[in-house]
Amino acid sequence: MPGLIARIDDIADALGATATRLHAMAQHRAQLDTAFGNIEGAVALWDGEERLVMANRRLHELFGLPPEAIVAGMRFRTFIDLAIEHGHLEGPGPEDVYTRRCALVRRGKALTFDIALTSGRVVQVSYHPQESGGWLATYEDVTERQRAQAQVAFLAHHDPLTRLANRVLFHLKLGEVLARVGDVAVLYLDLDRFKEVNDTLGHTIGDTLLRFAATRLGNCFRQSDTVARLGGDEFAVILSPGTRDVAVAAAQHAIDILGRPFDVEGHEITVGTSIGIAVAPQQGKDSETLLRHADMALYAAKADGRGTFCVFEQIMNDRLLARHALEGDLRTAIAKNELRLFYQPLVNTRTGIVSGFEALMRWHHPQRGLIAPADFIPVAEATRLIVPLGTWSIRQACIDLARLPTHLRMAVNLSPVQFRNKELVRTVRDALTASGIPAGRLELEVTESTLMKDVDSAVAILDELRSLGVRIAMDDFGTGYSSLSYLRHFPFDKIKIDKSFVDDIGQRRGADAIIRAVTGIADSLGIETVAEGVESPEQYQRVVQEGCDQVQGYLFSRAVGVAALPDVIRRIDGNGVSGRHGRPRHDGPPFPSGVLRQKP
Ligand code: C2E
Ligand code: CA
Ligand code: CA
């Protein structure tokens, strides 16, 4: 029966095929098992009847279930119940969770969502619907990843040291409140003596101090305000709502709070703060402008003497613009040689003749004419342009002095900024060499502010200069806080008594007594004295009476160009009372008053 045999063969074939298929299926299953087992996260395959086809070990680990609880064929609902029973699935209740999950699955689209476990961990769940009607679920513990992302997001918007908002977040928030609220004010704060603390006590203490200051600041404003650290020792606060009155009160409060001493690792530190205020919308409608204006007001507050606040005014902006313009012009001026040195004589009160000159800078501006140093030296100092300018003035003054009679000296002013430049001593030495004048004819004038910053290093430089043989004079004596104390630090050759004391003669009680005291001290220390700014014969008479060795002032001459020097010397010396010995303490001016009227 060939037909039967054929059928048997067919059956055998079919059975063989089935066996092969079954074998293939078993192999497939084993492969799936291996694959499932090796998957990093938890995986579960559910069929169209919501029964578990297979799952890997990570599934019960992740949900903290006993391993035997997860078995093939278990219902999805049972799995939900188990997970909730073990307290690992947050949710309103098993029924609700089950219904919502089923609804998600039935959408038939792949989707991913996060669930929070009561342990605080976060699990990311993905459902991948299968053609069979079931779905493949993967579960991944994303707690660490989310924490790291949150940390990155936090750091993008916060300062790691103080945990306050950073500049980026400050501008975002300010932009946001400006769009929402009408009255917004910005405070810009800067700790007054922070750099000193950092320099003397070290960065660790500096950092702790910043954190303490940040905490105080954080506690001193309202919930609706934002405190930010913009960098270094600079902080800013958004006051919203913030009228001018609110801002002023808040600034005063912050000054009080930050003015109290801090205890940092056993050091009692008092820093204090200065604050600039800008109020929207009058003083700026966008965050950049408001902060810039608050910064300008801060600058003004610091100029007012620290520990205070200033509210922005338009004039501050105008001044800054003018300063920028001046700075640009000044750079051009240096390149184009528009700067000149003028010379003002110093007259010996004993002989009545010129003993030397002080070099004073002038700027011959092509449009604005002669500009006085008070208008450009501060800009030159702020921009450090004073360094090349100062170098030039030392060289030029020496060159001009070389052409004057050898008994005359030349005084050149030094800015504190030049003291922070290592080249100063070399500059002076080179100027002496280039001009060939003996060092003793050059006198360098320094003010108290040169010594104030860092006495030791300033004195070290003065010692070096002195060792070259140049003389050192203390300028504007009596205007600072501790002029007298600086006399102990350095043996000055000359003291220039400030013009303000000469002005006070005959106006204010005690002016003469102060001058007398200074010349007395100077005499006993072997230091020469000069009275600055002598304008009238009366003033001259008094300063001579009080013992000043030299005078300088409009009474004799203003500062003049180098070409006019021979005339000035001839005029003053020609009228001088030469050959006299001892001080003419009770004498009148050394030349007839007729000459005195010919002020240049
Ligand atoms: P200073 O060193 O105290 O110079 C004396 C100033 O008083 C000069 O002003 C001088 O013209 C002025 N003066 C002299 N006698 C009289 C007087 O009888 N009455 C009045 N009202 N003023 C008198 P100037 O030239 O305008 O210089 C101002 C300041 O600018 C100087 O004060 C000095 O601090 C600074 N300065 C000038 N030239 C230079 C320079 O080359 N380098 C540096 N670093 N500073 C300079
Ligand atoms: Ca001077
Ligand atoms: Ca002076």
Side-chain angles (χ1 to χ4, degrees):
M1 292 172 71
L4 186 66
I5 289 168
R7 250 186 298 146
I8 289 171
D9 280 355
D10 280 353
I11 291 167
D13 276 357
L15 278 175
T18 309
T20 317
R21 245 193 350 257
L22 281 172
H23 179 70
M25 271 171 69
Q27 244 182 349
H28 187 60
R29 167 103 207 179
Q31 279 168 351
L32 265 178
D33 271 347
T34 322
F36 262 47
N38 284 328
I39 287 173
E40 189 66 50
V43 206
L45 179 63
W46 303 90
D47 66 13
E49 268 85 55
E50 299 179 8
R51 286 183 186 280
L52 183 65
V53 179
M54 62 198 314
N56 68 353
R57 210 159 32 85
R58 280 291 290 139
L59 186 68
H60 61 78
E61 287 171 1
L62 189 66
F63 286 94
L65 306 175
E68 64 280 3
I70 308 268
V71 285
M74 78 185 289
R75 301 197 137 273
F76 181 53
R77 171 66 208 245
T78 317
F79 171 70
I80 300 275
D81 286 348
L82 270 172
I84 290 177
E85 190 182 307
H86 281 80
H88 292 299
L89 240 187
E90 271 184 348
E95 187 58 39
D96 188 67
V97 173
Y98 170 73
T99 323
R100 281 192 294 141
R101 294 290 149 78
C102 289
L104 290 178
V105 172
R106 271 183 225 114
R107 276 205 223 153
K109 281 192 209 131
L111 56 96
T112 299
F113 56 95
D114 288 348
I115 55 173
L117 304 190
T118 44
S119 61
R121 306 200 73 79
V122 180
V123 172
Q124 189 175 73
V125 186
S126 297
Y127 285 164
H128 310 270
Q130 307 290 299
E131 270 176 27
S132 60
W135 71 97
L136 179 75
T138 60
Y139 306 84
E140 196 188 346
D141 186 337
V142 292
T143 320
E144 300 309 326
R145 197 204 302 161
Q146 285 201 348
R147 238 175 240 164
Q149 280 169 349
Q151 179 74 0
V152 169
F154 182 83
L155 287 180
H157 282 154
H158 293 82
D159 161 44
L161 181 71
T162 61
R163 307 191 75 75
L164 291 177
N166 66 8
R167 191 180 280 271
V168 176
L169 185 56
F170 176 84
H171 279 296
L172 282 175
K173 286 237 169 171
L174 186 52
E176 196 182 285
V177 293
L178 281 171
R180 214 162 21 82
V181 190
D183 292 326
V184 179
V186 169
L187 305 187
Y188 201 138
L189 300 88
D190 179 299
L191 300 185
D192 286 338
R193 275 173 298 276
F194 179 73
K195 198 182 167 307
E196 263 169 61
V197 173
N198 232 10
D199 290 350
T200 53
L201 299 175
H203 293 274
T204 316
I205 295 211
D207 281 357
T208 311
L209 177 67
L210 284 176
R211 277 197 285 111
F212 286 3
T215 310
R216 279 194 198 173
L217 271 179
N219 293 334
C220 113
F221 296 97
R222 301 163 299 182
Q223 202 68 45
S224 57
D225 302 333
T226 302
V227 182
R229 178 177 174 222
L230 301 183
D233 60 342
E234 293 184 355
F235 298 87
V237 186
I238 305 169
L239 298 172
S240 83
T243 57
R244 186 192 166 103
D245 288 348
V246 166
V248 164
Q252 192 53 62
H253 186 43
I255 288 171
D256 291 346
I257 289 217
L258 290 179
R260 294 179 198 152
F262 290 91
D263 180 353
V264 185
E265 293 173 30
H267 299 276
E268 189 184 292
I269 302 173
T270 310
V271 279
T273 186
S274 305
I275 303 181
I277 301 174
V279 186
Q282 306 88 333
Q283 295 159 1
K285 291 190 177 72
D286 60 281
S287 79
E288 295 289 341
T289 312
L290 265 183
L291 190 66
R292 191 158 41 81
H293 287 173
D295 189 14
M296 279 182 216
L298 169 62
Y299 190 82
K302 281 202 263 185
D304 270 2
R306 288 153 202 276
T308 57
F309 65 84
C310 254
V311 182
F312 172 78
E313 285 166 41
Q314 190 50 40
I315 191 160
M316 295 176 186
N317 202 14
D318 300 344
R319 248 187 251 140
L320 191 80
L321 290 178
R323 226 188 78 148
H324 283 319
L326 195 70
E327 184 189 334
D329 283 3
L330 191 53
R331 284 181 197 277
T332 321
I334 296 172
K336 287 191 176 166
N337 283 326
E338 287 171 10
L339 287 138
R340 301 273 175 277
L341 281 183
F342 273 36
Y343 299 100
Q344 186 179 33
L346 280 81
V347 179
N348 184 317
T349 56
R350 192 163 45 83
T351 59
I353 64 168
V354 175
S355 60
F357 294 91
E358 175 176 5
L360 295 160
M361 237 183 251
R362 299 288 180 266
W363 175 3
H364 205 89
H365 195 282
Q367 283 92 41
R368 292 153 66 181
L370 221 51
I371 303 181
D375 294 328
F376 67 90
I377 297 266
V379 176
E381 287 182 329
T383 52
R384 298 185 58 82
L385 282 173
I386 193 70
V387 175
L389 274 180
T391 301
W392 164 78
S393 71
I394 294 169
R395 293 183 70 89
Q396 190 58 46
C398 286
I399 290 168
D400 289 343
L401 177 64
R403 276 186 264 140
L404 295 176
T406 53
H407 69 280
L408 296 175
R409 291 201 184 113
M410 179 62 77
V412 180
N413 291 286
L414 291 185
S415 153
V417 180
Q418 287 174 273
F419 269 73
R420 276 179 255 142
N421 186 289
K422 299 201 175 46
E423 294 296 296
L424 181 59
V425 178
R426 178 134 56 104
T427 302
V428 173
R429 195 191 301 122
D430 290 353
L432 292 171
T433 314
S435 59
I437 60 156
R441 291 182 69 194
L442 180 63
E443 200 163 65
L444 299 173
E445 297 190 0
V446 299
T447 57
E448 198 177 310
S449 49
T450 298
L451 295 161
M452 224 154 54
K453 290 259 153 57
D454 178 357
V455 187
D456 294 338
S457 75
V459 166
I461 296 173
L462 288 178
D463 277 333
E464 268 192 79
L465 290 170
R466 169 67 72 61
S467 71
L468 296 177
V470 300
R471 292 159 50 90
I472 311 288
M474 184 166 204
D475 205 355
D476 305 342
F477 189 85
T479 52
Y481 293 108
S482 40
S483 299
L484 271 180
S485 87
Y486 289 118
L487 295 184
R488 280 189 297 135
H489 288 284
F490 188 79
F492 288 93
D493 297 290
K494 182 184 267 187
I495 286 173
K496 301 189 78 174
I497 301 170
D498 191 67
K499 179 177 185 303
S500 55
F501 296 99
V502 177
D503 287 345
D504 282 351
I505 290 176
Q507 311 284 321
R508 202 181 285 206
R509 254 190 61 235
D512 317 37
I514 292 174
I515 297 176
R516 196 182 318 137
V518 174
T519 58
I521 292 168
D523 251 358
S524 63
L525 292 171
I527 305 175
E528 264 179 26
T529 48
V530 184
E532 289 193 286
V534 173
E535 293 180 346
S536 69
E538 297 73 43
Q539 286 172 341
Y540 177 78
Q541 212 159 347
R542 294 298 272 277
V543 299
V544 171
Q545 265 172 17
E546 302 309 349
C548 290
D549 301 308
Q550 294 170 18
V551 292
Q552 179 180 353
Y554 294 172
L555 177 64
F556 292 94
S557 172
R558 289 175 183 254
V560 297
V562 68
L565 291 185
D567 275 352
V568 169
I569 298 170
R570 215 171 297 126
R571 178 171 57 78
I572 297 173
D573 287 3
N575 289 297
V577 232
S578 53
R580 205 185 262 257
H581 296 288
R583 291 171 169 181
R585 282 185 188 258
H586 305 285
D587 294 352
F591 41 77
S593 50
V595 177
L596 297 178
R597 271 185 245 117
Q598 302 177 359
K599 278 196 216 164

